[in-house]
Amino acid sequence: MKYRMQKPDVRIAAGLLMIPAFLLQPGLVVQGLQVFFLIVLAAVHGRKIRIVMITVVLISITAMNMLQENGRVLASIGSFSITLGALLTGLEKALTLIGMIYLSQYMVSGKPRFPGRFGQLLSKQFLYFEHLVTTWKKPEKGRFIESLDSMLEEMEQGILTDEEMGLSNPPNPHSGKADVRNATPWDLGKAAGIVTAFWLGSVIGFAGIWP
Amino acid sequence: MSSDNTPVKRLNGIGSEIITKIAILAAFSLFLSTVEYMIPKPLPFLRIGLANLPIMVGLALFSLPEYLILVTLKIAGQGLINGTLFSYIFIYSAGGSIASSLMMYFLYKLFHNKISYIGISLVGAMTSNSVQLLLAQYLLFGSSIWIIAPPFLLMGLVSSILLGIFVNHFTGRSRWYSSAVEFSGLNGKRGRDEISHAET
């Protein structure tokens, strides 16, 4: 049987192909550029950029790693020394985490469907989730449990009716609509371009041209 | 691979009503996780653990395989909705959730007449936080992670007690829960005890 890749799977495949170029990157400067690339990539594909989250992750992980002194001392504050090795290790780890978060965001931005019965169950979970998000009202004061209870009962009743009605094609995560279109040559070409650009940039680091 | 056009009726011998209950609780966990994601945190990995509320409610309703499906759905759903499915965050989430869920499940099954949801929640949170600290040590921070261990564990302690109190109230007053317990037949006695306790 001829396999046709579905549209959302293209981004998953592209992301998986970019992971080695990112995780094996030896140069910190190139890694920083890769992270920037991944953030822009995720933003272009509709994901939110959280500057505060990026800043907090960068500072907290770097700071935590600097507590373990390693290498040349760059500066001292009282008895605490900022060392080059610890600073670089912290930055590398922080960039890796931020980069992987945004690479992950790009990969799931196509609203992938997962195969098999578990995939269907996951879709069903998102069906209920959408129902919760769209129908949840702020509960009356002191009646939180009752509101929660009504919501749970309503969902169970509602969905049983859906099943009786023959709900046969569970919706996609996030969108509520199934997206089972096959990937077009344009989708594949675009993803190939992104992967190629990412790998070409990474070669600068692998070749040791940039630190 | 099953066809996409087949409704989810049975999964490894689990009936459709149970599957519906699992999906509802998993969706609710996702909803609470989204609420929590929007709450500002001093550090990205510090969590209140709201998403564990449905996981605790599921303790009395499901057998171990069913319960593990609920936990897996929670982890996968969170990874998808937050876009962290292919990142380190997912490893933290999965490690903490699986360890704490198993601990809570066995604790509940072995001692449910002797321990309240507060105790179960507390043990679950400490297990989850400890596993996450260990993972953080090996994956990102190194041994300096243990400097933030006291506030991290303290926050887990406080939030888990609050969560446990809420689950105690919920399981005692919820009509949905009482009918689900009756339906599951796993811990009907406990469920009825809780309901009669709440009524008195």
Side-chain angles (χ1 to χ4, degrees), chain B residues 92-150:
Chain B
Y92 289 126
S93 172
S97 293
I98 292 168
S100 68
S101 303
L102 285 174
M103 186 64 99
M104 289 195 296
Y105 189 84
F106 289 118
L107 202 61
Y108 180 83
K109 293 297 169 194
L110 293 173
F111 304 108
H112 66 79
N113 289 324
K114 295 178 183 134
I115 186 167
S116 72
Y117 280 111
I118 300 170
I120 293 172
S121 174
L122 196 68
V123 172
M126 290 302 107
T127 308
S128 171
N129 289 357
S130 304
V131 169
Q132 288 184 343
L133 282 168
L134 279 170
L135 287 170
Q137 178 185 352
Y138 289 108
L139 292 177
L140 277 176
F141 292 97
S143 56
S144 49
I145 188 68
W146 295 102
I147 294 168
I148 67 151

Side-chain angles (χ1 to χ4, degrees), chain A residues 21-41:
Chain A
F22 181 63
L23 291 181
L24 301 174
Q25 182 52 244
L28 195 64
V29 176
V30 179
Q31 197 188 17
L33 291 172
Q34 284 180 321
V35 170
F36 180 73
F37 181 92
L38 293 171
I39 291 172
V40 172
L41 190 64

Side-chain angles (χ1 to χ4, degrees), chain B residues 183-198:
Chain B
F183 177 82
S184 79
L186 288 172
N187 293 284
K189 186 177 180 304
R190 180 185 166 90
R192 281 190 295 275
D193 287 350
E194 281 165 351
I195 294 156
S196 60
H197 175 71

Side-chain angles (χ1 to χ4, degrees), chain A residues 10-21:
Chain A
V10 175
R11 287 182 202 169
I12 297 273
L16 290 173
L17 287 172
M18 286 192 280
I19 287 174

